[in-house]
Amino acid sequence: MATVFNGRKIAQNIKQEVKNELSQLKEVTHKTPGLAAILVGERKDSQIYFRMKKKSAEEVGIKIFETIFPENTTQEEIEKVIQKYNQDTNIHGILVELPLPIHINQAQILDMIDEKKDVDGFTPQSVGKLAMKDRDPLFSGCTPLGCIELLDRYNIPIESKHAVVVGRSNLVGLPTSMLLLNRNATVTIVHSKTTDIHEKISQADILVAAIQKPEFIQGSWLKKGAVVLDVGINQIPDKTQKSGFRIVGDVDFENAKVSLGEDGFITPVPGGLGPMTIAMLMRNVLKSFKMHELKN
Amino acid sequence: MATVFNGRKIAQNIKQEVKNELSQLKEVTHKTPGLAAILVGERKDSQIYFRMKKKSAEEVGIKIFETIFPENTTQEEIEKVIQKYNQDTNIHGILVELPLPIHINQAQILDMIDEKKDVDGFTPQSVGKLAMKDRDPLFSGCTPLGCIELLDRYNIPIESKHAVVVGRSNLVGLPTSMLLLNRNATVTIVHSKTTDIHEKISQADILVAAIQKPEFIQGSWLKKGAVVLDVGINQIPDKTQKSGFRIVGDVDFENAKVSLGEDGFITPVPGGLGPMTIAMLMRNVLKSFKMHELKN
């Protein structure tokens, strides 16, 4: 049986570290980091993530400045708020819960965020510097960072390993590929147009699954001893649950655990990269706080 | 024997197309596109590329505004010139011949170039948008664009093919990977830390070689029927030549031609992606000219 990553525990450790460092910094700066959090509309999943980020921020000592817009808000109203936060010296990070409603030009909104406050790593400048050799972005995406951090905390080597990333989204697939490449993995990016996806996945020493298809990746496809990072969060019907559903990843977890064997590793869903993502957001806000307040 | 791409002829066709379009545009705009070209120092290879770009620009009807700095020039002097060209409405593209001398902060110079005049596609904004899904950059790098254009002109499909890119430079490897991914190839990026590079290369339907190691990739490594784009430009000693050397690519061309078989394709070096790069630069200047002058 593969080792199951304890994302919740690692995330808790990281948050504790951020909390400790922030409380030391408070003595020097006499300031509290501020995170502007913008939520538009009433998507249930967005509301849940938003609440979890708020809760973690409170735990570690980051002040949340919350702006909640109704579904039918205008582009202009969101942009105005971002402009305000870009200039506000009490704000060290700006996060916009995605996706935005379809009548909003999401790219234009993200492009407006000051690169120095882009704690989600979503701006083209941040992504460009991440992709470029010898050009570190100020911030990288929180889920991609969470993937790397989890490997590091379990002392799993990345260099020269063959990492296969399933999915090429701006949020996860693409930036995670770039981070793995920066750490000297050999990287293959597969996606919906890949014909022999099963065969490609079977070559992975490190597999990142980020396609949002419930249990799409079968246990038997995986190489013995591989490391599986499952970023999928999917609802499937489950009558045994009060809610009527349960959350599963992109990988068939139970069979994968067996196929991977004793040397393998796999993240659970939930309790894997979800909490890690939030912990890395806290760390990005800490980084921004230090960058802004310890200039001299 | 594999088909040898005729990069020179395709490049000539593209330049003719650019020339024709520019002459039509002249009747509408009464303007000539301007390309600012900055060369620092006395590197022989940079001087050659610089001259070739100048010559092509003259051929197609692009006016070159040339600035040549001595090796020992300062950061400030180069930055001043870029600022000037950023503001100059007669300039539609700015190119800085790379690499710059080591005492110059190259990244800082490239970051200064107005994204709207970044005809080499080197700024973080351009690279970021190239890497992001559904976000087209204004300009992509000319060698990467040349790779794709060559495939397109020979009607070679990219979608669902396994593209293996050898090398991950900012100039070629990384952006070419992103362009291939945008065209729905499955992409593997291999590099100096890849352990089984030979085996990875043997899986390629489309191989991009960009490591600058003379004839490193052996013919026998290649899959029958594969398509090889060799971006390497390397000097090796050759007593039969007046100069005492000749130019070869990263792939052992003669053996590759045989191994690839009748269904294979391979670019020659020289005469492959070199001329294509310059042709795509001309096309990027044309694109910029239209963007700036046909606003209404």
Side-chain angles (χ1 to χ4, degrees):
Chain A
M1 284 286 225
T3 303
V4 177
F5 286 106
N6 193 336
R8 281 210 184 90
K9 184 169 152 244
I10 302 285
Q12 203 52 51
N13 294 348
I14 294 167
K15 288 196 286 185
Q16 189 59 49
E17 291 161 17
V18 171
K19 184 177 178 172
N20 294 346
E21 196 167 345
L22 281 178
S23 96
Q24 286 165 8
L25 284 167
K26 184 132 199 183
E27 293 173 23
V28 188
T29 62
H30 308 288
K31 288 193 77 168
T32 299
L35 174 60
I38 299 165
L39 176 68
V40 184
E42 314 223 318
R43 279 180 68 114
K44 279 270 169 307
D45 52 352
S46 292
Q47 287 175 334
I48 292 170
Y49 299 140
F50 197 74
R51 260 204 309 275
M52 292 195 300
K53 290 171 190 173
K54 257 175 71 175
K55 187 167 158 278
S56 287
E58 280 159 18
E59 271 171 49
V60 304
I62 291 168
K63 190 171 174 197
I64 289 272
F65 294 75
E66 181 179 284
T67 309
I68 297 180
F69 287 110
E71 179 78 22
N72 65 356
T73 195
T74 63
Q75 181 86 17
E76 218 188 344
E77 283 178 287
I78 307 175
E79 290 186 3
K80 235 191 305 182
V81 157
I82 294 197
Q83 263 157 355
K84 188 186 79 176
Y85 286 139
N86 275 343
Q87 276 149 26
D88 187 338
T89 55
N90 290 315
I91 297 296
H92 302 87
I94 299 172
L95 87 83
V96 180
E97 198 61 52
L98 301 183
L100 294 171
I102 45 163
H103 69 281
I104 301 291
N105 182 336
Q106 182 166 299
Q108 201 173 305
I109 299 284
L110 297 179
D111 284 9
M112 282 189 60
I113 296 174
D114 183 349
E115 186 186 355
K116 296 193 187 69
K117 299 186 178 184
D118 176 28
V119 289
D120 264 334
F122 286 161
T123 63
Q125 291 99 314
S126 300
V127 176
K129 288 177 188 170
L130 173 62
M132 290 161 94
K133 236 185 149 181
D134 308 321
R135 297 294 307 270
D136 284 332
L138 296 174
F139 306 103
S140 301
C142 300
T143 304
L145 283 176
C147 289
I148 302 294
E149 187 71 20
L150 205 52
L151 297 175
D152 283 346
R153 298 261 171 165
Y154 277 79
N155 293 313
I156 294 169
I158 301 174
E159 180 160 312
S160 297
K161 298 294 176 191
H162 189 188
V164 176
V165 178
V166 189
R168 50 176 163 168
S169 66
N170 292 340
L171 260 70
V172 185
L174 199 285
T176 307
S177 304
M178 296 300 109
L179 280 174
L180 289 163
L181 191 62
N182 290 347
R183 290 289 293 272
N184 292 325
T186 300
V187 176
T188 296
I189 307 167
V190 305
H191 46 76
S192 57
K193 303 286 184 187
T194 298
T195 40
D196 50 355
I197 200 159
H198 159 182
E199 195 260 326
K200 292 279 179 296
I201 286 173
S202 73
Q203 295 183 14
D205 300 314
I206 298 169
L207 182 79
V208 179
I211 41 171
Q212 307 299 344
K213 286 189 184 173
E215 300 178 329
F216 172 78
I217 296 169
Q218 292 174 37
S220 61
W221 298 0
L222 303 168
K223 182 155 92 175
K224 231 180 174 56
V227 176
V228 175
L229 302 168
D230 190 348
V231 185
I233 299 179
N234 312 288
Q235 281 189 11
I236 58 169
D238 182 344
K239 284 182 192 157
T240 71
Q241 304 289 314
K242 240 200 315 195
S243 58
F245 66 86
R246 63 190 166 97
I247 302 292
V248 299
D250 291 343
V251 180
D252 176 355
F253 181 75
E254 290 305 332
N255 288 317
K257 255 196 322 191
V258 178
S259 300
L260 291 167
E262 276 198 7
D263 296 333
F265 287 82
I266 186 167
T267 54
V269 177
L273 287 159
M276 287 301 293
T277 296
I278 292 176
M280 298 317 284
L281 174 65
M282 300 303 123
R283 210 155 79 172
N284 273 352
V285 177
L286 165 63
K287 184 180 176 187
S288 182
F289 184 67
K290 292 201 287 191
M291 195 172 72
H292 283 89
E293 304 298 340
L294 300 178
K295 271 176 201 155
N296 310 312
Chain B
M1 286 285 226
T3 303
V4 178
F5 285 107
N6 194 338
R8 280 208 185 92
K9 185 171 148 237
I10 302 286
Q12 204 51 51
N13 294 348
I14 294 168
K15 286 195 289 184
Q16 189 59 50
E17 291 162 17
V18 172
K19 185 177 176 172
N20 294 347
E21 196 166 347
L22 281 179
S23 94
Q24 287 166 7
L25 284 167
K26 186 134 195 179
E27 294 172 23
V28 187
T29 62
H30 308 288
K31 288 194 77 170
T32 300
L35 173 61
I38 298 165
L39 176 67
V40 184
E42 313 223 320
R43 281 181 66 119
K44 279 271 170 309
D45 53 352
S46 292
Q47 287 175 334
I48 292 169
Y49 300 141
F50 197 74
R51 259 203 311 273
M52 292 194 303
K53 290 172 190 173
K54 256 174 71 174
K55 188 169 156 277
S56 287
E58 282 160 17
E59 272 172 47
V60 304
I62 292 168
K63 190 170 174 198
I64 289 274
F65 294 75
E66 180 179 286
T67 309
I68 297 180
F69 286 111
E71 178 79 21
N72 65 356
T73 195
T74 63
Q75 182 86 20
E76 219 187 341
E77 283 178 286
I78 306 174
E79 291 187 2
K80 235 191 304 181
V81 158
I82 294 195
Q83 262 155 357
K84 189 186 78 177
Y85 286 139
N86 275 344
Q87 276 149 27
D88 186 339
T89 54
N90 290 313
I91 298 295
H92 303 87
I94 299 173
L95 87 85
V96 180
E97 199 59 52
L98 301 183
L100 293 171
I102 46 164
H103 70 281
I104 300 293
N105 184 335
Q106 182 168 298
Q108 202 173 302
I109 299 284
L110 296 179
D111 284 9
M112 282 188 60
I113 296 173
D114 182 349
E115 187 186 356
K116 294 194 188 70
K117 299 187 178 186
D118 176 28
V119 287
D120 264 333
F122 286 161
T123 63
Q125 292 99 312
S126 300
V127 178
K129 289 177 188 170
L130 172 62
M132 290 161 93
K133 235 184 146 179
D134 307 321
R135 295 296 303 273
D136 284 331
L138 297 174
F139 306 103
S140 301
C142 300
T143 303
L145 284 176
C147 290
I148 303 296
E149 186 72 21
L150 205 51
L151 297 175
D152 284 346
R153 297 262 172 166
Y154 278 80
N155 293 313
I156 294 169
I158 302 174
E159 181 159 310
S160 297
K161 297 295 174 189
H162 188 187
V164 176
V165 178
V166 190
R168 50 177 162 168
S169 66
N170 292 340
L171 260 68
V172 184
L174 198 287
T176 306
S177 306
M178 296 301 108
L179 278 176
L180 288 162
L181 191 62
N182 290 348
R183 289 288 295 270
N184 292 326
T186 300
V187 176
T188 297
I189 306 168
V190 306
H191 46 76
S192 56
K193 303 287 185 188
T194 298
T195 41
D196 50 355
I197 199 162
H198 160 182
E199 196 257 325
K200 293 278 179 297
I201 286 173
S202 72
Q203 295 183 14
D205 300 314
I206 297 169
L207 182 78
V208 179
I211 42 171
Q212 305 299 341
K213 286 188 184 174
E215 300 177 330
F216 172 78
I217 296 169
Q218 293 174 35
S220 62
W221 298 0
L222 303 167
K223 183 155 93 175
K224 232 180 173 55
V227 176
V228 175
L229 301 168
D230 189 348
V231 184
I233 299 180
N234 313 285
Q235 281 189 9
I236 58 168
D238 183 345
K239 284 180 191 156
T240 70
Q241 304 288 315
K242 242 199 314 193
S243 58
F245 67 85
R246 64 191 166 97
I247 301 292
V248 298
D250 291 345
V251 180
D252 176 354
F253 181 74
E254 291 304 332
N255 287 317
K257 253 194 326 189
V258 178
S259 298
L260 291 167
E262 276 197 8
D263 296 333
F265 287 82
I266 186 168
T267 55
V269 176
L273 287 158
M276 287 301 293
T277 297
I278 293 176
M280 298 317 284
L281 176 64
M282 300 304 121
R283 210 156 79 173
N284 272 352
V285 177
L286 165 64
K287 184 180 177 188
S288 182
F289 184 68
K290 291 200 287 192
M291 194 172 72
H292 284 88
E293 305 298 341
L294 300 179
K295 273 175 198 154
N296 309 315

